[in-house]
Amino acid sequence: MKKLLNISDLNQNDFDEIINYAESLGNEKLLTNKNIGLIFEKNSTRTRLSFQVGINQLNGNYIDVRFEELNLNRFESYEDTFEVMSCYLDYLVFRTTDHKKLELAYKFFKKPIINALSDISHPCQAISDMYTLKERFGTLNNLNIIWMGDMNNVLFSLIEVIAFAKNTKVDVFTDEKIFLKSKDIFNLNDNINFHFEINESIISKGNCIMTDVFTSMNDKEDKENTLSKFQVNDQIMSLTNDESVFMHCLPAKIGSEVSEDVIKGEKSIVLAQARNRLVAQKGILKWLSI
Ligand code: CP
Ligand code: NVA
């Protein structure tokens, strides 16, 4: 049974297929007679809409399942809830506050399931960002990605996904306490390096400077002050070369992790990233359906 809870659910062949499908897919009628449930326990603009429009374009039906209205919120178990859903639905797209809920859903749903973001992982974003990097640089190999700020779900999946590129590295600039608290859940390897102070020489080699909100939807702790020195602003971008780009999965908290000049500036490709969410979702849906 195919699933996409984390990038580590994919092998190189799966990943290559998704990217190839995304690059070549028109509006084929791949999802005819397929009913796809969308559960968003947390807010979403891009992920929800790109799945809805992608499913429409591939001739499928989506059903918005309102999490708060499910009997799961009264006394019904995960087992009964998701077993019953698999009587009606063909696939499930699930955004949740707790990755364990996603694993329970997978256990009982018995059909393909896609993580639309959990507290620890955002695989659809990582696939889409790889698509955007390839579109921009013509390759996923030999790139230097600089990540500034929090160690969150988007970074978790980015670190997993670069295993599918050759000689691409991620240099993470973050706070040491956050690193010590988070490192054990990350799948770290020699291509990922951590820094606790700004290092101009390393940043100047970045093809891409990437960041995300300092405080995510799930975070109980406000990290704005702790991470403020890692804001991506003109000073940081001026270290980079002419071809380098700024990326952010959005939504952005302008003035916090990124300055307005940078996110609206000429190196920013955040709108291409957002646009490519639709392309990548269709690649994922095709991979799931064949
Ligand atoms: N980047 C992203 O997942 O955006 P949404 O939270 O709006 O879906
Ligand atoms: N890290 C962010 C990503 C939003 C798309 C969050 O979880 O809130």
Side-chain angles (χ1 to χ4, degrees):
M1 182 68 64
K2 284 181 179 169
K3 70 175 193 297
L4 180 56
L5 303 195
N6 290 310
I7 291 290
S8 53
D9 292 322
L10 307 176
N11 60 33
Q12 181 81 49
N13 191 48
D14 295 321
F15 174 75
D16 292 344
E17 268 180 19
I18 292 172
I19 295 290
N20 289 341
Y21 291 152
E23 283 171 337
S24 60
L25 195 61
N27 293 337
E28 299 164 22
K29 293 190 184 308
L30 282 168
L31 299 178
T32 303
N33 297 327
K34 293 270 190 276
N35 288 299
I36 300 165
L38 306 181
I39 308 182
F40 282 80
E41 193 187 355
K42 295 196 282 194
N43 298 42
S44 171
T45 301
R46 282 142 288 268
T47 310
R48 187 203 306 268
L49 271 167
S50 56
F51 269 114
Q52 289 174 332
V53 173
I55 292 165
N56 281 345
Q57 290 182 351
L58 300 178
N59 206 40
N61 303 308
Y62 68 80
I63 290 139
D64 275 317
V65 182
R66 283 191 290 276
F67 185 83
E68 66 284 2
E69 291 179 6
L70 289 170
N71 276 317
L72 184 65
N73 287 315
R74 291 172 63 229
F75 51 79
E76 197 168 19
S77 66
Y78 274 81
E79 180 166 0
D80 286 356
T81 301
F82 288 98
E83 251 182 14
V84 165
M85 279 193 200
S86 55
C87 300
Y88 315 130
L89 298 170
D90 297 288
Y91 310 139
L92 190 63
V93 174
F94 187 13
R95 172 170 287 199
T96 176
T97 54
D98 185 347
H99 200 81
K100 290 191 193 79
K101 293 185 194 170
L102 199 60
E103 283 165 355
L104 280 174
Y106 172 69
K107 183 170 171 195
F108 299 119
F109 184 63
K110 301 189 170 87
K111 287 183 182 168
I113 181 160
I114 301 175
N115 176 4
L117 180 148
S118 72
D119 51 336
I120 61 167
S121 159
H122 197 2
C124 297
Q125 183 71 48
I127 290 169
S128 180
D129 287 345
M130 289 296 104
Y131 178 92
T132 303
L133 282 167
K134 194 170 175 208
E135 182 179 65
R136 187 72 182 195
F137 293 105
T139 178
L140 290 176
N141 303 329
N142 304 308
L143 297 177
N144 289 329
I145 300 172
I146 308 289
W147 176 273
M148 301 282 277
D150 193 24
M151 290 180 67
N152 63 16
N153 43 12
V154 174
L155 178 65
F156 178 90
S157 295
L158 174 72
I159 285 175
E160 286 197 332
V161 87
I162 63 145
F164 299 133
K166 289 185 189 61
N167 198 33
T168 286
K169 298 192 305 113
V170 183
D171 282 288
V172 179
F173 288 82
T174 192
D175 176 73
E176 190 170 7
K177 287 199 192 79
I178 291 179
F179 169 76
L180 292 172
K181 218 155 111 184
S182 322
K183 68 178 170 45
D184 292 339
I185 63 158
F186 280 70
N187 299 318
L188 302 179
N189 60 57
D190 290 348
N191 288 327
I192 322 296
N193 289 298
F194 287 86
H195 315 275
F196 308 122
E197 295 297 333
I198 295 293
N199 179 319
E200 297 192 352
S201 161
I202 292 171
I203 293 173
S204 71
K205 296 187 186 76
N207 301 98
C208 161
I209 311 294
M210 202 183 273
T211 190
D212 183 15
V213 285
F214 287 158
T215 308
S216 284
M217 288 185 264
N218 254 84
D219 283 336
K220 291 180 186 72
E221 172 198 357
D222 184 325
K223 300 175 191 158
E224 305 298 315
N225 285 339
T226 313
L227 291 169
S228 60
K229 70 178 172 188
F230 300 111
Q231 185 193 64
V232 183
N233 49 34
D234 276 340
Q235 212 177 330
I236 295 291
M237 291 311 289
S238 69
L239 301 169
T240 65
N241 67 45
D242 288 350
E243 277 76 46
S244 56
V245 295
F246 169 74
M247 290 176 71
H248 190 310
C249 64
L250 303 180
K253 200 164 169 199
I254 296 175
S256 174
E257 74 277 4
V258 59
S259 69
E260 180 153 20
D261 288 351
V262 168
I263 199 162
K264 305 284 182 213
E266 56 183 20
K267 282 175 176 283
S268 172
I269 58 166
V270 298
L271 272 181
Q273 278 178 274
R275 205 166 35 239
N276 286 336
R277 295 298 308 278
L278 172 60
V279 180
Q281 309 303 33
K282 291 202 289 182
I284 294 166
L285 288 164
K286 177 163 179 177
W287 168 75
L288 217 54
S289 67
I290 60 178

